[in-house]
Coordinates of all heavy atoms in Angstrom, one line a residue:
M1 N 0.8 -1.2 0.0 CA 0.0 0.0 0.0 C 0.9 1.2 0.0 O 2.0 1.2 0.5 CB -0.9 0.0 1.2 CG -2.1 0.9 1.2 SD -3.1 0.8 2.6 CE -2.6 2.3 3.5
N2 N 0.4 2.3 -0.6 CA 1.1 3.6 -0.6 C 1.2 4.1 0.9 O 0.3 4.3 1.6 CB 0.2 4.6 -1.4 CG 0.9 5.9 -1.5 OD1 1.8 6.2 -0.7 ND2 0.4 6.7 -2.4
P3 N 2.5 4.3 1.3 CA 2.7 4.7 2.7 C 2.1 6.1 3.0 O 1.8 6.4 4.2 CB 4.2 4.7 2.9 CG 4.7 4.9 1.5 CD 3.8 4.2 0.6
C4 N 1.8 6.9 2.0 CA 1.3 8.2 2.2 C -0.1 8.2 2.8 O -0.5 9.2 3.5 CB 1.4 9.0 0.9 SG 3.1 9.1 0.2
Q5 N -0.9 7.2 2.4 CA -2.3 7.2 2.8 C -2.4 7.0 4.3 O -3.5 7.4 4.9 CB -3.0 6.1 2.1 CG -3.1 6.4 0.6 CD -3.7 5.3 -0.2 OE1 -4.0 4.2 0.3 NE2 -4.0 5.5 -1.5
T6 N -1.4 6.5 5.0 CA -1.5 6.4 6.5 C -0.4 7.3 7.1 O 0.0 7.0 8.2 CB -1.3 4.9 6.9 OG1 0.0 4.5 6.3 CG2 -2.4 4.0 6.5
C7 N 0.0 8.3 6.4 CA 1.0 9.2 6.9 C 0.6 10.7 6.9 O 0.0 11.1 7.9 CB 2.3 9.0 6.1 SG 3.7 10.0 6.6
G8 N 0.9 11.4 5.9 CA 0.6 12.8 5.9 C 1.6 13.7 6.6 O 1.4 14.9 6.7
A9 N 2.7 13.1 7.1 CA 3.7 13.9 7.9 C 4.2 15.1 7.1 O 4.4 16.2 7.7 CB 4.8 12.9 8.3
C10 N 4.5 14.9 5.8 CA 5.1 16.0 5.1 C 4.2 17.2 4.9 O 4.6 18.3 4.7 CB 5.7 15.6 3.8 SG 4.5 14.8 2.7
C11 N 2.9 16.9 5.0 CA 1.9 18.0 4.9 C 1.7 18.7 6.2 O 0.9 19.6 6.3 CB 0.5 17.4 4.4 SG 0.7 16.3 3.0
A12 N 2.4 18.2 7.2 CA 2.3 18.8 8.5 C 3.7 19.0 9.1 O 3.9 18.7 10.3 CB 1.4 17.9 9.5
A13 N 4.6 19.4 8.2 CA 6.0 19.5 8.7 C 6.7 20.7 8.0 O 7.6 21.3 8.7 CB 6.8 18.2 8.4
F14 N 6.4 21.0 6.8 CA 7.2 22.0 6.0 C 6.3 23.1 5.5 O 5.1 22.9 5.2 CB 7.8 21.3 4.8 CG 8.7 20.1 5.1 CD1 8.4 18.9 4.5 CD2 9.7 20.2 6.0 CE1 9.2 17.7 4.8 CE2 10.5 19.1 6.3 CZ 10.2 17.8 5.7
R15 N 6.9 24.3 5.3 CA 6.3 25.3 4.5 C 6.2 24.8 3.1 O 7.2 24.3 2.6 CB 7.1 26.6 4.6 CG 7.0 27.3 5.9 CD 7.9 28.5 5.9 NE 7.8 29.1 7.2 CZ 8.6 30.2 7.6 NH1 9.4 30.7 6.7 NH2 8.4 30.7 8.8
V16 N 5.0 25.0 2.5 CA 4.9 24.6 1.1 C 4.7 25.9 0.2 O 3.6 26.4 0.2 CB 3.7 23.6 1.0 CG1 3.5 23.2 -0.5 CG2 3.9 22.4 1.8
D17 N 5.8 26.3 -0.3 CA 5.8 27.5 -1.2 C 5.8 27.2 -2.6 O 6.5 26.2 -3.0 CB 7.0 28.4 -0.8 CG 6.9 29.0 0.6 OD1 5.8 28.8 1.2 OD2 7.8 29.7 1.0
F18 N 5.2 28.0 -3.4 CA 5.2 27.7 -4.9 C 4.8 29.0 -5.6 O 4.4 30.0 -5.0 CB 4.1 26.6 -5.2 CG 2.8 26.8 -4.7 CD1 1.8 27.4 -5.5 CD2 2.4 26.5 -3.4 CE1 0.5 27.6 -5.0 CE2 1.2 26.8 -2.9 CZ 0.2 27.3 -3.7
S19 N 5.0 29.0 -6.9 CA 4.8 30.2 -7.8 C 3.3 30.6 -7.8 O 2.4 29.7 -7.9 CB 5.3 29.9 -9.2 OG 4.7 30.9 -10.1
V20 N 3.1 31.9 -7.8 CA 1.7 32.3 -7.9 C 1.0 31.9 -9.2 O -0.2 31.8 -9.2 CB 1.6 33.9 -7.8 CG1 2.0 34.3 -6.4 CG2 2.4 34.5 -8.8
H21 N 1.8 31.5 -10.2 CA 1.3 31.1 -11.4 C 0.6 29.7 -11.3 O -0.1 29.3 -12.2 CB 2.4 31.0 -12.5 CG 3.0 32.4 -12.8 ND1 2.2 33.4 -13.3 CD2 4.2 32.9 -12.6 CE1 3.0 34.5 -13.4 NE2 4.2 34.2 -13.0
E22 N 0.8 29.0 -10.2 CA 0.1 27.7 -10.0 C -1.3 27.9 -9.5 O -2.1 27.0 -9.4 CB 0.9 26.8 -9.1 CG 2.2 26.3 -9.7 CD 2.7 25.1 -8.9 OE1 2.0 24.1 -8.9 OE2 3.8 25.2 -8.3
L23 N -1.6 29.1 -9.0 CA -3.0 29.4 -8.5 C -4.0 29.3 -9.6 O -3.8 29.8 -10.7 CB -3.0 30.8 -7.8 CG -2.2 30.9 -6.5 CD1 -2.3 32.4 -6.1 CD2 -2.7 30.0 -5.5
D24 N -5.2 28.9 -9.3 CA -6.3 28.8 -10.3 C -6.6 30.2 -10.8 O -6.9 30.4 -12.0 CB -7.5 28.1 -9.7 CG -8.1 28.7 -8.4 OD1 -7.5 29.7 -7.9 OD2 -9.0 28.1 -7.9
V25 N -6.5 31.2 -10.0 CA -6.8 32.6 -10.4 C -5.8 33.1 -11.4 O -6.0 34.2 -12.0 CB -7.1 33.5 -9.2 CG1 -8.3 33.2 -8.4 CG2 -5.8 33.6 -8.3
E26 N -4.6 32.4 -11.4 CA -3.6 32.9 -12.3 C -3.4 31.9 -13.5 O -2.4 32.0 -14.2 CB -2.2 32.9 -11.6 CG -2.2 33.9 -10.4 CD -2.0 35.4 -10.9 OE1 -1.5 35.5 -12.0 OE2 -2.3 36.3 -10.1
G27 N -4.4 31.1 -13.7 CA -4.3 30.1 -14.8 C -3.8 28.8 -14.5 O -3.7 27.9 -15.3
G28 N -3.4 28.6 -13.2 CA -3.0 27.3 -12.7 C -4.1 26.4 -12.2 O -5.3 26.6 -12.6
R29 N -3.8 25.6 -11.2 CA -4.9 24.6 -10.7 C -5.1 24.7 -9.2 O -6.0 24.1 -8.7 CB -4.6 23.2 -11.2 CG -4.3 23.2 -12.7 CD -4.8 21.9 -13.3 NE -4.2 20.7 -12.8 CZ -4.6 19.5 -13.0 NH1 -5.7 19.3 -13.8 NH2 -4.0 18.4 -12.5
V30 N -4.2 25.3 -8.5 CA -4.3 25.2 -7.0 C -5.4 26.2 -6.6 O -5.3 27.4 -6.9 CB -2.9 25.6 -6.3 CG1 -3.1 25.5 -4.8 CG2 -1.8 24.7 -6.8
P31 N -6.4 25.8 -5.8 CA -7.4 26.7 -5.4 C -6.8 27.8 -4.5 O -6.2 27.6 -3.5 CB -8.3 25.8 -4.5 CG -8.1 24.4 -5.0 CD -6.6 24.4 -5.4
A32 N -7.1 29.1 -5.0 CA -6.4 30.2 -4.3 C -6.9 30.4 -2.9 O -6.1 30.9 -2.0 CB -6.7 31.5 -5.1
G33 N -8.1 29.9 -2.6 CA -8.6 30.0 -1.2 C -7.8 29.2 -0.2 O -7.9 29.5 1.0
L34 N -7.0 28.3 -0.7 CA -6.3 27.4 0.2 C -4.8 27.9 0.3 O -4.0 27.3 1.0 CB -6.3 26.0 -0.2 CG -7.6 25.3 0.1 CD1 -7.7 23.9 -0.6 CD2 -7.8 25.1 1.6
A35 N -4.5 29.0 -0.3 CA -3.1 29.5 -0.3 C -3.1 31.0 0.3 O -4.1 31.7 0.3 CB -2.6 29.5 -1.7
V36 N -2.0 31.4 0.8 CA -1.7 32.7 1.2 C -0.6 33.3 0.4 O 0.3 32.6 0.0 CB -1.4 32.8 2.7 CG1 -2.6 32.5 3.6 CG2 -0.2 32.0 3.1
Q37 N -0.7 34.6 0.1 CA 0.3 35.3 -0.7 C 1.5 35.6 0.2 O 1.4 36.0 1.3 CB -0.3 36.6 -1.2 CG 0.6 37.2 -2.3 CD 0.1 36.9 -3.7 OE1 -1.1 36.5 -3.9 NE2 0.9 37.2 -4.7
V38 N 2.7 35.2 -0.3 CA 4.0 35.5 0.5 C 4.6 36.8 -0.1 O 4.9 37.7 0.7 CB 5.0 34.4 0.3 CG1 6.3 34.7 1.0 CG2 4.4 33.1 0.9
N39 N 4.7 36.9 -1.4 CA 5.1 38.2 -2.0 C 4.6 38.2 -3.5 O 3.7 37.4 -3.8 CB 6.7 38.3 -2.0 CG 7.4 37.1 -2.6 OD1 6.9 36.6 -3.6 ND2 8.5 36.7 -2.1
D40 N 5.1 39.0 -4.3 CA 4.6 39.2 -5.7 C 4.6 37.9 -6.5 O 3.9 37.6 -7.4 CB 5.3 40.2 -6.5 CG 5.0 41.6 -6.0 OD1 4.0 41.7 -5.2 OD2 5.6 42.6 -6.4
T41 N 5.6 37.0 -6.2 CA 5.8 35.9 -7.0 C 5.5 34.5 -6.3 O 5.4 33.5 -7.0 CB 7.3 35.8 -7.5 OG1 8.2 35.8 -6.4 CG2 7.6 37.0 -8.4
L42 N 5.5 34.6 -5.0 CA 5.3 33.3 -4.2 C 4.1 33.3 -3.4 O 3.7 34.3 -2.8 CB 6.5 33.2 -3.2 CG 7.8 32.5 -3.7 CD1 8.7 32.3 -2.4 CD2 7.5 31.1 -4.3
C43 N 3.5 32.1 -3.3 CA 2.4 31.9 -2.3 C 2.7 30.6 -1.6 O 3.6 29.9 -1.9 CB 1.1 31.9 -3.0 SG 0.9 30.8 -4.3
R44 N 1.9 30.3 -0.6 CA 2.1 29.2 0.3 C 0.8 28.5 0.7 O -0.2 29.2 0.9 CB 2.7 29.9 1.6 CG 3.1 28.9 2.7 CD 3.8 29.7 3.8 NE 5.1 30.1 3.4 CZ 5.9 31.1 3.9 NH1 5.4 31.7 5.0 NH2 7.1 31.4 3.4
M45 N 0.9 27.2 0.8 CA -0.3 26.5 1.2 C -0.7 27.0 2.6 O 0.2 27.0 3.5 CB -0.1 25.0 1.2 CG -0.1 24.4 -0.2 SD -1.5 24.8 -1.3 CE -2.9 24.1 -0.3
R46 N -1.9 27.4 2.8 CA -2.4 27.9 4.1 C -2.2 26.9 5.2 O -2.5 25.7 5.0 CB -3.9 28.2 3.9 CG -4.6 29.0 5.0 CD -6.0 29.2 4.7 NE -6.3 30.1 3.6 CZ -6.2 31.4 3.7 NH1 -5.9 32.0 4.8 NH2 -6.4 32.2 2.6
G47 N -1.7 27.3 6.3 CA -1.5 26.5 7.4 C -0.1 25.9 7.5 O 0.3 25.4 8.6
T48 N 0.7 25.9 6.4 CA 2.0 25.3 6.5 C 3.0 26.1 7.2 O 4.1 25.6 7.4 CB 2.5 24.8 5.1 OG1 2.7 26.0 4.3 CG2 1.5 23.9 4.4
D49 N 2.7 27.4 7.5 CA 3.6 28.1 8.4 C 3.0 28.4 9.8 O 3.5 29.2 10.5 CB 4.0 29.5 7.7 CG 2.8 30.3 7.3 OD1 1.6 29.9 7.7 OD2 3.0 31.4 6.7
H50 N 2.0 27.6 10.1 CA 1.5 27.7 11.5 C 2.4 26.9 12.4 O 3.3 26.1 12.0 CB 0.1 27.1 11.5 CG -0.9 28.0 10.8 ND1 -2.3 27.7 10.8 CD2 -0.8 29.2 10.1 CE1 -2.9 28.7 10.1 NE2 -2.0 29.6 9.7
T51 N 2.2 27.0 13.7 CA 2.9 26.3 14.7 C 2.0 25.5 15.5 O 1.2 26.0 16.3 CB 3.7 27.2 15.6 OG1 4.5 28.1 14.8 CG2 4.7 26.4 16.5
P52 N 1.9 24.1 15.4 CA 2.7 23.3 14.4 C 2.1 23.5 13.0 O 0.9 23.8 12.9 CB 2.5 21.9 14.9 CG 1.1 21.9 15.6 CD 1.0 23.3 16.2
P53 N 2.9 23.2 12.0 CA 2.4 23.3 10.6 C 1.4 22.2 10.3 O 1.5 21.1 10.7 CB 3.6 23.2 9.8 CG 4.6 22.6 10.6 CD 4.3 22.8 12.0
R54 N 0.4 22.6 9.5 CA -0.5 21.6 8.9 C -1.3 22.3 7.7 O -1.9 23.3 7.9 CB -1.5 21.1 10.0 CG -2.5 20.1 9.4 CD -3.5 19.6 10.3 NE -4.5 18.9 9.6 CZ -4.8 17.6 9.7 NH1 -4.1 16.8 10.6 NH2 -5.7 17.0 9.0
C55 N -1.1 21.7 6.6 CA -1.7 22.2 5.4 C -3.2 22.2 5.5 O -3.8 21.2 6.0 CB -1.3 21.4 4.2 SG -2.0 22.1 2.7
A56 N -3.9 23.3 5.1 CA -5.3 23.4 5.2 C -6.0 22.4 4.3 O -7.2 22.1 4.5 CB -5.8 24.8 4.8
A57 N -5.3 21.8 3.3 CA -6.0 20.9 2.4 C -5.9 19.4 2.9 O -6.5 18.5 2.4 CB -5.3 20.9 1.0
L58 N -5.2 19.2 4.0 CA -5.0 17.9 4.6 C -6.2 17.5 5.4 O -6.6 18.2 6.3 CB -3.7 17.8 5.4 CG -3.4 16.4 5.9 CD1 -2.9 15.5 4.8 CD2 -2.2 16.5 7.0
T59 N -6.8 16.3 5.1 CA -7.8 15.8 6.0 C -7.4 14.5 6.7 O -6.5 13.8 6.2 CB -9.1 15.5 5.1 OG1 -8.8 14.5 4.2 CG2 -9.6 16.7 4.4
G60 N -8.0 14.2 7.8 CA -7.7 13.0 8.5 C -6.7 13.2 9.6 O -6.4 14.4 10.0
R61 N -6.1 12.1 10.1 CA -5.2 12.2 11.2 C -3.8 11.7 10.8 O -3.7 10.6 10.2 CB -5.6 11.3 12.4 CG -6.9 11.9 13.1 CD -7.3 10.9 14.2 NE -6.4 10.8 15.3 CZ -6.5 11.6 16.4 NH1 -7.4 12.4 16.5 NH2 -5.6 11.5 17.4
V62 N -2.8 12.6 11.0 CA -1.4 12.2 10.6 C -1.0 10.9 11.3 O -1.2 10.8 12.5 CB -0.5 13.4 10.9 CG1 1.0 12.9 10.7 CG2 -0.8 14.6 10.1
G63 N -0.5 10.0 10.5 CA 0.0 8.7 11.0 C -1.1 7.7 11.1 O -0.8 6.5 11.5
E64 N -2.3 8.0 10.8 CA -3.4 7.1 10.8 C -4.0 6.9 9.4 O -3.7 6.0 8.7 CB -4.4 7.4 11.8 CG -3.8 7.4 13.3 CD -4.8 7.7 14.3 OE1 -6.0 7.8 14.1 OE2 -4.3 8.0 15.5
R65 N -4.8 7.9 9.0 CA -5.4 7.9 7.7 C -5.6 9.3 7.3 O -6.1 10.1 8.0 CB -6.7 7.2 7.7 CG -7.5 7.2 6.4 CD -8.2 5.9 6.1 NE -7.3 4.8 5.8 CZ -6.8 4.5 4.7 NH1 -7.0 5.3 3.6 NH2 -6.0 3.4 4.5
V66 N -5.0 9.7 6.1 CA -5.1 11.0 5.6 C -5.4 11.1 4.1 O -5.3 10.1 3.4 CB -3.7 11.8 5.8 CG1 -3.4 12.0 7.3 CG2 -2.6 11.0 5.1
A67 N -5.8 12.3 3.7 CA -5.9 12.5 2.3 C -5.7 14.0 2.0 O -5.9 14.8 2.9 CB -7.4 12.1 1.8
C68 N -5.2 14.3 0.8 CA -5.1 15.6 0.3 C -6.4 16.0 -0.4 O -6.8 15.3 -1.3 CB -3.9 15.7 -0.6 SG -3.9 17.4 -1.4
G69 N -7.1 17.0 0.1 CA -8.3 17.5 -0.4 C -8.2 18.0 -1.8 O -9.2 18.2 -2.5
I70 N -7.0 18.3 -2.3 CA -6.8 18.9 -3.6 C -5.8 18.1 -4.4 O -5.0 18.6 -5.1 CB -6.4 20.4 -3.6 CG1 -5.1 20.6 -2.7 CG2 -7.5 21.2 -3.0 CD1 -4.5 22.0 -3.0
Y71 N -5.8 16.8 -4.2 CA -4.7 15.9 -4.7 C -4.4 16.2 -6.2 O -3.3 16.4 -6.6 CB -5.0 14.5 -4.5 CG -3.9 13.5 -4.8 CD1 -2.8 13.4 -3.9 CD2 -3.9 12.8 -6.0 CE1 -1.8 12.6 -4.2 CE2 -2.8 12.0 -6.3 CZ -1.8 11.9 -5.4 OH -0.7 11.1 -5.7
E72 N -5.4 16.3 -7.0 CA -5.2 16.4 -8.4 C -4.7 17.8 -8.8 O -4.2 18.1 -9.8 CB -6.5 16.2 -9.2 CG -6.8 14.7 -9.2 CD -8.1 14.4 -10.0 OE1 -8.4 15.2 -10.9 OE2 -8.9 13.5 -9.6
W73 N -4.9 18.8 -7.8 CA -4.6 20.2 -8.1 C -3.5 20.7 -7.2 O -3.3 21.9 -7.1 CB -5.9 21.0 -7.9 CG -7.0 20.5 -8.7 CD1 -7.1 20.5 -10.1 CD2 -8.2 19.8 -8.3 NE1 -8.3 19.9 -10.5 CE2 -8.9 19.5 -9.4 CE3 -8.6 19.5 -7.0 CZ2 -10.2 18.8 -9.3 CZ3 -9.8 18.8 -6.9 CH2 -10.6 18.5 -8.0
R74 N -2.8 19.7 -6.5 CA -1.8 20.2 -5.5 C -0.6 20.8 -6.2 O -0.4 20.5 -7.4 CB -1.4 19.0 -4.7 CG -0.6 17.9 -5.4 CD -0.6 16.6 -4.6 NE 0.3 15.6 -5.1 CZ 0.2 14.9 -6.2 NH1 -0.9 15.1 -7.0 NH2 1.0 14.0 -6.6
P75 N 0.1 21.7 -5.5 CA 1.2 22.4 -6.2 C 2.4 21.6 -6.4 O 2.6 20.5 -5.8 CB 1.5 23.6 -5.2 CG 1.0 23.0 -3.9 CD -0.1 22.1 -4.1
G76 N 3.3 22.1 -7.2 CA 4.6 21.4 -7.6 C 5.3 20.8 -6.4 O 5.7 19.6 -6.5
P77 N 5.6 21.5 -5.3 CA 6.4 20.9 -4.3 C 5.8 19.6 -3.7 O 6.5 18.6 -3.4 CB 6.5 21.9 -3.2 CG 6.2 23.2 -3.9 CD 5.3 22.9 -5.0
C78 N 4.5 19.5 -3.7 CA 3.8 18.3 -3.2 C 4.0 17.2 -4.2 O 4.1 16.0 -3.8 CB 2.3 18.6 -3.0 SG 2.0 20.0 -1.9
R79 N 4.0 17.5 -5.5 CA 4.2 16.5 -6.5 C 5.6 15.9 -6.5 O 5.9 14.8 -6.8 CB 3.9 17.0 -7.9 CG 2.5 17.5 -8.0 CD 2.2 18.2 -9.4 NE 0.8 18.7 -9.4 CZ -0.2 17.9 -9.7 NH1 0.0 16.7 -10.1 NH2 -1.4 18.4 -9.7
E80 N 6.5 16.8 -6.1 CA 8.0 16.5 -6.2 C 8.5 15.7 -5.0 O 9.4 15.0 -5.1 CB 8.8 17.7 -6.4 CG 8.6 18.3 -7.8 CD 9.0 19.8 -7.9 OE1 9.6 20.3 -7.0 OE2 8.6 20.4 -8.9
L81 N 7.8 15.9 -3.9 CA 8.3 15.2 -2.7 C 8.0 13.7 -2.7 O 6.8 13.3 -2.8 CB 7.7 15.8 -1.4 CG 8.5 15.6 -0.1 CD1 8.2 16.6 0.9 CD2 8.2 14.2 0.5
E82 N 9.0 12.9 -2.8 CA 8.8 11.4 -3.0 C 8.8 10.7 -1.7 O 9.7 11.0 -0.8 CB 9.9 10.9 -3.9 CG 9.7 11.3 -5.3 CD 10.8 10.8 -6.2 OE1 11.5 9.9 -5.9 OE2 11.0 11.4 -7.3
A83 N 8.0 9.7 -1.5 CA 8.0 8.8 -0.4 C 9.4 8.2 -0.3 O 9.9 7.7 -1.4 CB 6.9 7.8 -0.5
G84 N 10.0 8.2 0.8 CA 11.3 7.6 1.0 C 12.5 8.5 0.8 O 13.6 8.2 1.0
S85 N 12.2 9.7 0.3 CA 13.2 10.8 0.2 C 13.7 11.3 1.5 O 13.0 11.0 2.5 CB 12.7 11.9 -0.7 OG 11.7 12.6 0.0
D86 N 14.8 12.0 1.5 CA 15.3 12.6 2.8 C 14.2 13.4 3.5 O 14.0 13.3 4.7 CB 16.5 13.4 2.6 CG 17.7 12.5 2.2 OD1 17.6 11.3 2.4 OD2 18.8 13.1 1.9
A87 N 13.6 14.3 2.7 CA 12.6 15.2 3.3 C 11.4 14.4 3.9 O 10.9 14.7 5.0 CB 12.0 16.1 2.2
C88 N 11.0 13.3 3.2 CA 9.9 12.5 3.6 C 10.3 11.8 5.0 O 9.5 11.9 6.0 CB 9.7 11.4 2.6 SG 8.8 9.9 3.2
E89 N 11.5 11.3 5.0 CA 11.9 10.6 6.3 C 12.0 11.6 7.4 O 11.7 11.3 8.6 CB 13.2 9.8 6.1 CG 13.2 8.8 4.9 CD 12.3 7.6 5.3 OE1 11.3 7.7 6.0 OE2 12.5 6.5 4.7
R90 N 12.5 12.8 7.1 CA 12.6 13.8 8.2 C 11.2 14.2 8.7 O 11.0 14.3 10.0 CB 13.3 15.1 7.6 CG 14.7 15.1 7.6 CD 15.3 16.5 7.6 NE 14.7 17.4 6.6 CZ 15.0 17.5 5.3 NH1 15.9 16.7 4.8 NH2 14.4 18.4 4.5
A91 N 10.3 14.3 7.8 CA 8.9 14.6 8.3 C 8.3 13.5 9.1 O 7.7 13.7 10.2 CB 8.0 14.9 7.1
R92 N 8.6 12.3 8.7 CA 8.1 11.1 9.5 C 8.7 11.0 10.9 O 8.0 10.8 11.8 CB 8.3 9.8 8.7 CG 7.4 9.7 7.5 CD 7.6 8.4 6.7 NE 7.3 7.2 7.5 CZ 6.2 6.6 7.5 NH1 5.1 7.0 6.8 NH2 6.0 5.5 8.2
V93 N 10.0 11.3 10.9 CA 10.7 11.3 12.3 C 10.0 12.3 13.2 O 9.7 12.1 14.4 CB 12.2 11.6 12.1 CG1 12.8 12.0 13.4 CG2 12.9 10.4 11.5
R94 N 9.7 13.5 12.6 CA 9.1 14.6 13.4 C 7.8 14.1 14.0 O 7.4 14.6 15.1 CB 8.8 15.8 12.6 CG 10.0 16.7 12.4 CD 9.6 18.0 11.9 NE 10.6 18.6 11.1 CZ 10.5 19.8 10.4 NH1 9.4 20.4 10.5 NH2 11.5 20.2 9.7
H95 N 7.1 13.3 13.3 CA 5.8 12.8 13.8 C 5.9 11.4 14.5 O 4.8 10.8 14.7 CB 4.8 12.8 12.6 CG 4.3 14.2 12.2 ND1 3.3 14.8 12.8 CD2 4.9 15.0 11.3 CE1 3.1 16.0 12.3 NE2 4.1 16.2 11.4
G96 N 7.1 11.0 14.7 CA 7.3 9.7 15.5 C 6.9 8.5 14.7 O 6.6 7.4 15.2
L97 N 7.0 8.6 13.3 CA 6.7 7.5 12.5 C 7.9 6.8 12.0 O 9.0 7.4 11.8 CB 5.9 8.0 11.3 CG 4.5 8.7 11.6 CD1 3.9 9.3 10.3 CD2 3.6 7.7 12.2
A98 N 7.9 5.5 11.8 CA 9.0 4.7 11.3 C 9.4 5.2 9.9 O 8.5 5.5 9.1 CB 8.7 3.2 11.3
P99 N 10.7 5.1 9.6 CA 11.1 5.4 8.2 C 10.4 4.6 7.2 O 10.2 3.4 7.5 CB 12.6 5.2 8.2 CG 13.0 5.2 9.7 CD 11.8 4.7 10.4
V100 N 10.1 5.1 6.0 CA 9.5 4.4 4.9 C 10.4 3.2 4.6 O 9.9 2.1 4.3 CB 9.2 5.3 3.7 CG1 8.9 4.4 2.5 CG2 8.1 6.3 4.0
A101 N 11.7 3.4 4.7 CA 12.6 2.4 4.3 C 12.5 1.1 5.2 O 12.8 0.0 4.8 CB 14.1 2.9 4.5
N102 N 11.9 1.3 6.4 CA 11.7 0.2 7.3 C 10.4 -0.5 7.3 O 10.1 -1.5 8.0 CB 12.0 0.6 8.8 CG 13.4 1.0 9.0 OD1 14.2 1.0 8.1 ND2 13.7 1.5 10.2
L103 N 9.5 0.0 6.4 CA 8.1 -0.5 6.4 C 8.1 -1.8 5.7 O 8.9 -2.1 4.8 CB 7.1 0.5 5.7 CG 6.9 1.8 6.4 CD1 6.0 2.7 5.6 CD2 6.4 1.6 7.8
Ligands
LIG1 S1 6.1 12.0 4.7 FE1 6.6 10.5 3.1 S2 5.3 8.8 3.4 FE2 4.4 10.5 4.6 S3 2.9 11.4 3.2 FE3 4.9 12.5 2.9 S4 5.9 11.4 1.2 FE4 4.3 10.1 2.0
LIG2 S1 -1.7 20.4 -0.9 FE1 -2.1 18.3 -0.3 S2 -0.1 17.2 -0.7 FE2 0.3 19.4 -0.6 S3 0.9 19.8 1.6 FE3 -1.3 20.2 1.3 S4 -2.4 18.3 1.9 FE4 -0.2 17.9 1.5

């Protein structure tokens, strides 16, 4: 099974910044209501700079069962973060989850 479906740690660990051109209002696909503007060129998934961070699009409980509410429209950084990568394993450690490599 895909380890991400029972994880979600990376959606509750890092700031998720991406180009404003990825917003639906700019011709992209990410719903603008779920993002906050950082500056003229960058925006950020809402909630990912909170303490503790948690993306507003994430549903469910981290480490149990989760889903991304905008999976098909999620921004580039979310598409690029691979299960088992260094960033993935760092996020899992922060949430007390075993490394993907050990599953
Ligand atoms: S931290 Fe890794 S396993 Fe967990 S949801 Fe993100 S990519 Fe998937
Ligand atoms: S948009 Fe989806 S995949 Fe990206 S951080 Fe938020 S919940 Fe996770």
Side-chain angles (χ1 to χ4, degrees):
M1 196 177 103
N2 181 344
C4 301
Q5 292 173 353
T6 54
C7 178
C10 58
C11 310
F14 306 123
R15 287 180 182 172
V16 179
D17 289 359
F18 53 96
S19 164
V20 292
H21 298 298
E22 289 199 65
L23 293 176
D24 54 3
V25 293
E26 297 281 342
R29 307 216 299 168
V30 181
L34 285 168
V36 290
Q37 192 100 13
V38 176
N39 57 36
D40 286 351
T41 56
L42 270 187
C43 54
R44 178 173 293 161
M45 286 309 297
R46 191 178 293 280
T48 63
D49 56 3
H50 290 182
T51 310
R54 181 181 166 115
C55 180
L58 186 69
T59 60
R61 289 176 70 93
V62 172
E64 293 180 17
R65 176 145 291 275
V66 292
C68 171
I70 57 163
Y71 189 76
E72 288 178 34
W73 307 290
R74 69 199 190 286
C78 307
R79 297 173 185 277
E80 286 157 18
L81 201 154
E82 289 178 19
S85 65
D86 287 352
C88 160
E89 301 292 27
R90 279 204 309 278
R92 288 180 61 94
V93 164
R94 278 196 210 177
H95 285 272
L97 300 170
V100 168
N102 293 0
L103 294 179

